[in-house]
Amino acid sequence: MLFSSLKLGGLTLKNRIALPPLTRCRSSQPGNIPNQRMVEYYTQRASAGFMVTEGTQIEPRGQGYAWTPGIHSQDQIEGWKKVTQAVHQAGGTLFCQLWHVGRVSHNQLQPQQQAPIAPSALPATNVRVFIETAPNEGILTSPSEPRALSTAEVKEVVELYRQAAHNAKEAGFDGVELHAANGYLINQFISEHTNQRTDEYGGCLENRLRFLKEVVEAVSSAFGSQRVGVRFAPLFHSTDEERVYLGLVESDPHHTYITAAKMLNDLNIGYLSIAEADWDNAPDLPISFRQALRDTFKAPIMYAGKYTLEKAQYVIENGWGDLFGFGRTFIANPDLPHRLAHQLPLNEVDAGSLYGGTEKGYTDYPTYSTP
Ligand SMILES: Cc1cc2nc3c(=O)[nH]c(=O)nc-3n(C[C@H](O)[C@H](O)[C@H](O)COP(=O)(O)O)c2cc1C
């Protein structure tokens, strides 16, 4: 089943193994520009049925970590063109993950060292951002105090998403994925903990979902709604560890995300992506949630979070999911679909070279060769 094809947004994916969005902090400086090393990295993994880029900032204020790529300047668009052309030549499909971190940023990463923007002026706690201290060197630090967007500014950010999607189209991507997970800007509008607005973008759940709805409609103007995906990270236990990872947890995630899924189903988007908790001893996503999501959302559902061949088969066989992101495993095994198909041994990921650096731990993981 994992090796059968899948229809997504009018495309035929060759298998159900996906490269999920993975920030690697290796764009060229200055300017956060995609480069030849990134061309090689994505092309090496083009045997995936589906690939999503690392989080890619839609505008300068959308950046929360040094060296992550953007899609708002012409140089960035030209850089991405080389990536999409090479991936297509290798038979791959690539969506661009559109990212705005909102309050999860630092003055040093912001234009004119301004405060990061957010739905409400509430600082992010228990999360770290990454700033450059010298060329090729940086430190993890606390996010800066954000300022709240005015209603007119919220609408301007929706337009920045629209422009970024048009840029992604110009760069040759097959579609876009909205990063609405992990405590970043769209998630900050959705969660009642981070959104205390009193205008039409705050208050009841319908209002808190309005920003997402308008962004989906805006980016659909570039690609058509079927080439738009949305990524959520619904978590169901607000333990300390989850707060560290997310910076926030909704009080009723089932209701929040099933309501959001219904809205997205009505907007006719191409797929929904669910990032599951992925740390050691992470709680499983409740089966009742998987089932409710399947009953609500009709297009493909992608899951990621410590997937193995067996876990993916179990979710497919129950009819809950269609496409499976393998994150750290795909980083370490560029030929992952081949290895999974033939049950070959897997390389281990090197945690020390995930973010930033050279080709080491990026493009130098070996494909399988017979010992
Ligand atoms: C190095 C690294 C970078 C990540 N960057 C992103 C990102 O840019 N956007 C996103 O939505 N998720 C990001 N994630 C989450 C992954 O997409 C995925 O959900 C997670 O790694 C769980 O899958 P795994 O257990 O197979 O690694 C990142 C994870 C890792 C390990």
Side-chain angles (χ1 to χ4, degrees), residues 20-24 54-55 97 179 182 231 245 275 278 304-307 325-329 331 354-355:
L22 293 159
T23 289
R24 307 301 309 273
E54 58 209 281
Q97 192 185 47
H179 196 340
N182 298 357
R231 189 168 219 221
Y245 178 65
D278 59 20
K306 300 207 302 185
Y307 272 82
F326 292 77
R328 288 160 290 190
T329 321
I331 288 175
L354 288 174
Y355 304 101

Side-chain angles (χ1 to χ4, degrees), residues 162-177:
R162 184 192 306 275
Q163 184 59 53
H166 283 275
N167 294 349
K169 177 119 191 165
E170 186 188 340
F173 285 106
D174 299 298
V176 288
E177 174 175 297

Side-chain angles (χ1 to χ4, degrees), residues 51-109:
M51 297 196 283
V52 186
T53 67
E54 58 209 281
T56 299
Q57 51 263 8
I58 64 155
E59 62 142 331
R61 295 178 301 177
Q63 185 172 15
Y65 307 85
W67 314 325
T68 55
I71 184 123
H72 49 86
S73 77
Q74 197 59 42
D75 286 345
Q76 291 164 349
I77 295 169
E78 298 307 319
W80 281 122
K81 269 184 199 168
K82 297 185 185 131
V83 176
T84 61
Q85 278 163 6
V87 164
H88 287 150
Q89 254 170 30
T93 297
L94 184 60
F95 276 41
C96 182
Q97 192 185 47
L98 300 183
W99 193 20
H100 198 306
V101 298
R103 67 179 192 161
V104 185
S105 185
H106 192 277
N107 297 22
Q108 195 187 301
L109 291 159

